[in-house]
Amino acid sequence: MGLLRVMMPPKLQLLALLAFAVAMFFLENQIQKLEESRGKLERAIARHEVREIEQRHTQDGLRERDSTAAASDGEDDVVIIYNRVPKTASTSFTNIAYDLCGKNHYHVLHINTTKNNPVMSIQDQVRFVKNVTEWREMKPAFYHGHVSFLDFTKFGVKRKPIYINVIRDPIERLVSYYYFLRFGDDYRPGLRRRKQGDKKTFDECVSAGGSDCAPEKLWLQIPFFCGHYSECWNVGSQWALEQAKYNLVNEYMLVGVTEELEDFVMMLEAALPRFFRGATELYKTGKKSHLRKTSEKKPPTKESIAKLQQSAIWKMENEFYEFALEQFQFVRAHAVREKDGELYLLAQNFFYEKIYPKN
């Protein structure tokens, strides 16, 4: 700058200083504007981040609310189907559901098929599936009826119903049904039954080779679990037996046995309290309005039992019964403990840990 002062005239030196001052002012002004712009940008970024956080919190809140509502809706969207096998204490158990439906706020619907036909037509299958899945006014619902198993996945539904059932020793079931057709029960004693007036005992029927006590009449529990396939109803079909076993373990939440009905009720109350809260106490101490007994039933002799047990049909039905009994006892062993002759449900036996990521 000193050299410029020597070489430049005073006027030029003044102009140079003014130009330098203007340039510095301009630069400072630009720097200030940049600083202001940077401040605005930082504030905009901060506001954006705040909005993102707020949106996340809002979305989390909505998701939490939706999940809570979904959980509530999920409970109210449950449908149970009890495709009851005749003479397995099915009316006794169903009456428990009727006794509890008002208090536990669900609907009970009886599936009344023409002539108690357990096989539905294809059009009725479609109607039934549609009713069960879309009839929201009736949910939560407990459907029951003498209908064989129906696979809902064949009809493209997203949520299948919960299947439950009860089975019985096959000969005891047949004997009960034989006398029921002749003498009825204490549930509706005045109702005239199809075989009323026939005084022949079960033993006399077996001895005479009668059709109502023939081994073919044992073939019922297997096809009820096998379902709506033609082979299920071919008496003595090995395929039907295997399909019934498959459905029992894969499609049914719980299958009890008549001989241990109280344990079945207890486990249902533990697993599905939305429906069965209070069922065990009702079964034990209620007015027994749910219990039903066949009239005039006489136990068969050892000879009659031995004759039926010689048939291949009894062996298959008994194999299925034993399979179901073993599965039920396995489930029970992992659900209850016995103390002083009483059964007690086990408390929750799992918990969660090592949950990541940490918040």
Side-chain angles (χ1 to χ4, degrees):
M1 200 70 177
L3 181 63
L4 286 173
R5 280 199 299 267
V6 173
M7 297 177 62
M8 293 178 63
K11 288 184 178 181
L12 290 176
Q13 290 181 18
L14 181 60
L15 288 172
L17 286 172
L18 287 172
F20 178 76
V22 170
M24 291 301 295
F25 176 79
F26 177 78
L27 288 173
E28 287 179 359
N29 188 49
Q30 292 299 311
I31 291 171
Q32 185 177 356
K33 287 182 178 180
L34 288 172
E35 290 288 342
E36 290 176 355
S37 297
R38 188 181 70 175
K40 290 180 180 179
L41 180 60
E42 288 176 346
R43 287 192 294 272
I45 291 172
R47 285 195 298 269
H48 179 69
E49 289 176 346
V50 168
R51 281 197 298 270
E52 279 193 332
I53 293 171
E54 290 175 343
Q55 286 174 356
R56 281 200 297 271
H57 287 170
T58 301
Q59 289 169 357
D60 291 343
L62 288 172
R63 277 195 293 268
E64 184 176 351
R65 187 186 68 186
D66 290 344
S67 63
T68 303
S72 176
D73 290 345
E75 278 198 345
D76 289 341
D77 196 39
V78 174
V79 172
I80 296 174
I81 295 181
Y82 172 35
N83 64 314
R84 39 194 285 206
V85 180
K87 305 313 298 175
T88 57
S90 62
T91 300
S92 300
F93 173 66
T94 301
N95 282 343
I96 294 176
Y98 276 111
D99 288 344
L100 293 173
C101 66
K103 182 173 68 174
N104 291 344
H105 308 293
Y106 62 88
H107 298 88
V108 180
L109 300 91
H110 178 217
I111 312 161
N112 189 348
T113 58
T114 304
K115 296 182 179 179
N116 282 332
N117 186 355
V119 178
M120 290 182 173
S121 66
I122 186 65
Q123 58 269 34
D124 277 347
Q125 292 178 42
V126 172
R127 294 184 188 110
F128 179 61
V129 170
K130 185 178 178 65
N131 287 155
V132 168
T133 55
E134 297 181 10
W135 198 0
R136 297 196 62 81
E137 292 80 6
M138 287 295 108
K139 292 181 180 180
F142 179 95
Y143 289 82
H144 68 96
H146 297 312
V147 181
S148 60
F149 171 76
L150 183 61
D151 183 4
F152 275 59
T153 59
K154 292 169 59 177
F155 301 89
V157 301
K158 293 181 179 179
R159 182 167 185 173
K160 297 194 295 185
I162 296 173
Y163 268 95
I164 61 171
N165 216 327
V166 178
I167 70 170
R168 187 177 186 177
D169 175 275
I171 291 180
E172 289 185 7
R173 193 206 66 78
L174 180 59
V175 171
S176 182
Y177 189 63
Y178 178 89
Y179 285 106
F180 173 74
L181 291 180
R182 285 154 178 80
F183 301 102
D185 55 25
D186 57 2
Y187 184 63
R188 290 185 290 179
L191 186 65
R192 183 175 180 83
R193 301 296 172 177
R194 181 153 48 94
K195 296 283 185 174
Q196 189 168 328
D198 182 3
K199 304 295 184 181
K200 187 184 297 181
T201 67
F202 186 82
D203 290 325
E204 290 170 344
C205 177
V206 171
S207 179
S211 59
D212 285 346
C213 55
E216 288 77 13
K217 295 294 184 181
L218 292 166
W219 189 260
L220 191 67
Q221 298 187 130
I222 288 174
F224 257 73
F225 279 79
C226 180
H228 280 68
Y229 305 104
S230 62
E231 188 63 20
C232 297
W233 299 90
N234 286 338
V235 177
S237 167
Q238 184 65 33
W239 183 91
L241 171 60
E242 298 306 321
Q243 185 65 34
K245 287 181 178 180
Y246 176 87
N247 287 342
L248 187 147
V249 295
N250 289 285
E251 303 293 348
Y252 285 79
M253 193 197 81
L254 185 65
V255 175
V257 292
T258 304
E259 296 78 7
E260 299 173 12
L261 190 60
E262 182 179 327
D263 299 356
F264 175 71
V265 171
M266 178 186 289
M267 285 190 282
L268 279 179
E269 180 173 359
L272 297 169
R274 177 68 178 79
F275 288 81
F276 297 105
R277 185 178 291 106
T280 307
E281 187 67 18
L282 176 63
Y283 185 88
K284 288 180 178 179
T285 64
K287 296 179 180 179
K288 306 297 181 183
S289 61
H290 53 278
L291 296 180
R292 177 180 184 179
K293 293 181 180 179
T294 300
S295 302
E296 303 290 333
K297 184 171 66 175
K298 298 177 181 178
T301 62
K302 292 181 179 179
E303 291 75 18
S304 296
I305 293 173
K307 188 172 182 179
L308 286 171
Q309 288 177 342
Q310 292 174 4
S311 70
I313 297 170
W314 173 82
K315 291 175 183 176
M316 297 180 77
E317 276 281 347
N318 190 64
E319 180 183 337
F320 180 65
Y321 170 74
E322 294 289 344
F323 178 84
L325 177 61
E326 182 180 0
Q327 174 65 12
F328 175 71
Q329 291 176 339
F330 175 83
V331 174
R332 184 181 61 187
H334 288 80
V336 301
R337 287 289 180 270
E338 185 174 352
K339 183 179 180 181
D340 300 327
E342 293 287 330
L343 290 176
Y344 297 90
L345 290 164
L346 294 174
Q348 181 171 313
N349 200 28
F350 73 93
F351 61 94
Y352 303 104
E353 62 177 3
K354 299 179 181 178
I355 302 170
Y356 287 88
K358 301 292 186 182
N359 292 328

